[in-house]
Amino acid sequence: MKILIIEDEPQLAQSISEYLSGEQYLCETAINFPQAMEKTELYDYDCILLDLMLPGGDGLKILDALRDNKKQDGVVIISAKGSLDDKIKGLKIGADDYLTKPFHLPELAARIFSVIRRKSFDNTNVIIHHELEINILAKKLVVNRLLVSLTKKEFDLLLYFISNKNRVISKNALAEHILGDIADMLENYDIVYAHIKNLKKKLADAGCGNYLKTVYGSGYKWDV
């Protein structure tokens, strides 16, 4: 799962990034308004942590732009501005949650998980899909009652495909999801092919149906 931390306090941004990376999120940061606008326009995120007071602009304008562009990224506002008006305005524009500084990092992680679960997985911790049982909280996959060992990126890819079932996902989108904005530096998509090949093999070895299909010339699709 990919997170964008929009926060101009370097120490806080680093603390959040380190903690969430330990929770198996892929984290990127933006420290000012122009940088945040650029990243949110170019990339998609499972959840965005949005500070309202940024150098160069108002964080609520970023939220406005996201919703105007029909983007589905989850948004948790994190701000020292604790007024009720700011909170109500952010939620009306389209934020999914609001957390006032200072906060505890485990609480922030719980809010992020809740937003992602609600937006992508119908507010459930366990996804049942034919012979697959996926526990998104414990990060475990069971196929035909047997535990299947997946790497972090393989598990993340599986969730990404299932949350976008029946949609063709391009190799570029998959690279961004796996690697974040450094995907632009790739010379080819070998790393994407390798992760998908390993995921498909583990699913097939466990007796899983052939749901993950290659769409030649376009990308991949979880076909149900």
Side-chain angles (χ1 to χ4, degrees), residues 113-144:
F113 177 79
S114 180
V115 167
I116 293 174
R117 179 183 61 183
R118 184 167 63 248
K119 294 182 77 70
S120 300
F121 304 113
D122 297 325
N123 211 32
T124 182
N125 287 337
V126 178
I127 303 166
I128 305 295
H129 177 75
H130 299 298
E131 65 273 28
L132 285 80
E133 180 178 314
I134 305 166
N135 189 313
I136 60 176
L137 185 58
K139 297 180 173 59
K140 290 183 178 179
L141 168 66
V142 172
V143 178
N144 293 319

Side-chain angles (χ1 to χ4, degrees), residues 29-188:
T29 58
I31 61 173
N32 55 46
F33 181 83
Q35 192 177 84
M37 284 295 291
E38 180 181 28
K39 283 181 176 284
T40 53
E41 288 172 359
L42 290 176
Y43 306 109
D44 295 322
Y45 298 92
D46 295 290
C47 191
I48 296 171
L49 306 182
L50 176 62
D51 190 1
L52 295 183
M53 301 184 68
L54 295 168
D58 184 352
L60 287 176
K61 292 182 179 179
I62 297 170
L63 185 55
D64 271 328
L66 284 168
R67 299 319 178 212
D68 287 346
N69 293 328
K70 310 298 182 186
K71 300 197 74 175
Q72 299 301 310
D73 313 48
V75 177
V76 177
I77 292 175
I78 52 170
S79 179
K81 297 175 70 175
S83 78
L84 184 61
D85 288 345
D86 289 325
K87 181 176 182 178
I88 291 173
K89 186 174 181 181
L91 293 173
K92 280 186 174 180
I93 292 174
D96 298 284
D97 205 345
Y98 189 110
L99 196 58
T100 303
K101 299 176 185 175
F103 49 78
H104 296 292
L105 292 173
E107 180 183 3
L108 174 63
R111 300 286 188 99
I112 292 169
F113 177 79
S114 180
V115 167
I116 293 174
R117 179 183 61 183
R118 184 167 63 248
K119 294 182 77 70
S120 300
F121 304 113
D122 297 325
N123 211 32
T124 182
N125 287 337
V126 178
I127 303 166
I128 305 295
H129 177 75
H130 299 298
E131 65 273 28
L132 285 80
E133 180 178 314
I134 305 166
N135 189 313
I136 60 176
L137 185 58
K139 297 180 173 59
K140 290 183 178 179
L141 168 66
V142 172
V143 178
N144 293 319
R145 300 183 180 180
L146 296 174
L147 183 65
V148 179
S149 178
L150 299 179
T151 67
K152 172 187 175 297
K153 293 199 181 297
E154 290 163 1
F155 188 83
D156 200 20
L157 275 174
L158 178 62
L159 288 182
Y160 190 48
F161 279 120
I162 288 179
S163 65
N164 290 279
K165 58 182 178 291
N166 293 325
R167 290 176 53 193
V168 177
I169 304 174
S170 70
K171 295 183 287 290
N172 184 60
L174 289 167
E176 288 178 8
H177 190 76
I178 294 171
L179 299 172
D181 53 9
I182 66 171
D184 292 339
M185 301 168 62
L186 293 179
E187 294 183 358
N188 55 55

